[in-house]
Amino acid sequence: GIVFQEDAYGKDAAEYMQGLAQAARLNVVSVVSAPLKAIDLTAQATKLRNEKPDIILLQVNSVGLGAAFARAARQVGLEAPMWSSMGLGQAAFIEAAAGAADGIRMVILGNWDDPSPQQAELGELLKKAGKKPTGFAELLSTNGLLAIVEAAKKIKGPVTGEAIRGQLEQLCPLKTYADGQLCYSKDDHDGWGAETLTSVEVKNGKFVRR
């Protein structure tokens, strides 16, 4: 079963997942959706429960919407294993789900409940600055800043957007606060490998490595 948020991101992702399922000869028994501001997803959870899927893919990156579905699933007795998108890998999701997030699995960028040495170092810097790290945004923004600064250092002449891009496309490797190393190229503007991601499951209100 698939749950997606009703915007371009959710719709495109749901269609992509259905294509992957078809290629893998998996049967998608039900696809449901909800607006980003929805707070009651009982109908969607009930529909999925009645279709009896073996697994549910929760393609939602809105904390409020993801938490609303988790609560509804618990309320109607939807017990199929659930995998969510990276966007819910935040403490705010667990808090908003009010105990209903336990058992949900996801692949996330970093894990503040069990940080790697590099991430722990960033956590200490943030805490000293009076900030409590709670999700992936701290890693994304900090790593992005490190990359831009390093690229700017290599520019000879005016620091323009084009010049920064040219240097970023040659920036490899670069150690950041995430696991693994950043490595950009002309063909790879993402820059991260599989070692940067962490597979987790929510247990007792925390993200636990799997």
Side-chain angles (χ1 to χ4, degrees):
I2 296 175
V3 185
F4 71 91
Q5 62 191 46
E6 293 175 359
D7 63 4
Y9 169 79
K11 183 175 181 294
D12 289 349
E15 290 177 354
Y16 179 68
M17 287 190 291
Q18 289 178 79
L20 291 177
Q22 183 177 11
R25 298 183 180 180
L26 299 174
N27 182 29
V28 178
V29 297
S30 185
V31 179
V32 300
S33 65
L36 282 170
K37 294 183 179 180
I39 57 175
D40 183 0
L41 277 74
T42 304
Q44 291 88 337
T46 300
K47 185 176 187 297
L48 281 171
R49 181 201 63 192
N50 293 344
E51 295 292 345
K52 299 179 180 179
D54 294 315
I55 192 170
I56 293 170
L57 302 178
L58 182 56
Q59 187 52 45
V60 172
N61 65 2
S62 163
V63 166
L65 187 60
F69 182 79
R71 295 193 304 269
R74 178 71 61 87
Q75 180 181 349
V76 304
L78 178 57
E79 298 179 352
M82 195 180 307
W83 284 84
S84 83
S85 68
M86 182 185 295
L88 298 186
Q90 310 176 54
F93 166 65
I94 295 178
E95 293 169 4
D102 276 18
I104 295 180
R105 304 165 188 177
M106 61 190 81
V107 177
I108 62 177
L109 176 64
N111 179 8
W112 292 112
D113 289 327
D114 183 15
S116 65
Q118 301 99 298
Q119 190 178 353
E121 185 180 352
L122 173 60
E124 289 303 313
L125 291 174
L126 291 170
K127 290 174 184 176
K128 288 179 181 178
K131 306 293 183 181
K132 180 182 178 181
T134 60
F136 58 86
E138 294 90 351
L139 279 167
L140 285 178
S141 56
T142 306
N143 294 343
L145 177 62
L146 290 174
I148 291 173
V149 169
E150 192 62 26
K153 287 179 181 178
K154 300 178 182 297
I155 295 174
K156 297 179 180 179
V159 178
T160 64
E162 185 177 355
I164 290 176
R165 173 175 174 162
Q167 290 299 329
L168 283 173
E169 290 180 340
Q170 303 175 56
L171 193 60
C172 180
L174 176 65
K175 185 178 182 298
T176 68
Y177 292 110
D179 293 345
Q181 294 188 352
L182 181 65
C183 185
Y184 287 129
S185 71
K186 289 185 177 181
D187 299 320
D188 185 357
H189 287 182
D190 183 46
W192 301 104
E195 66 277 7
T196 306
L197 301 175
T198 303
S199 180
V200 298
E201 179 177 346
V202 181
K203 292 184 179 180
N204 299 318
K206 294 185 179 296
F207 293 109
V208 179
R209 292 177 185 266
R210 301 184 74 251

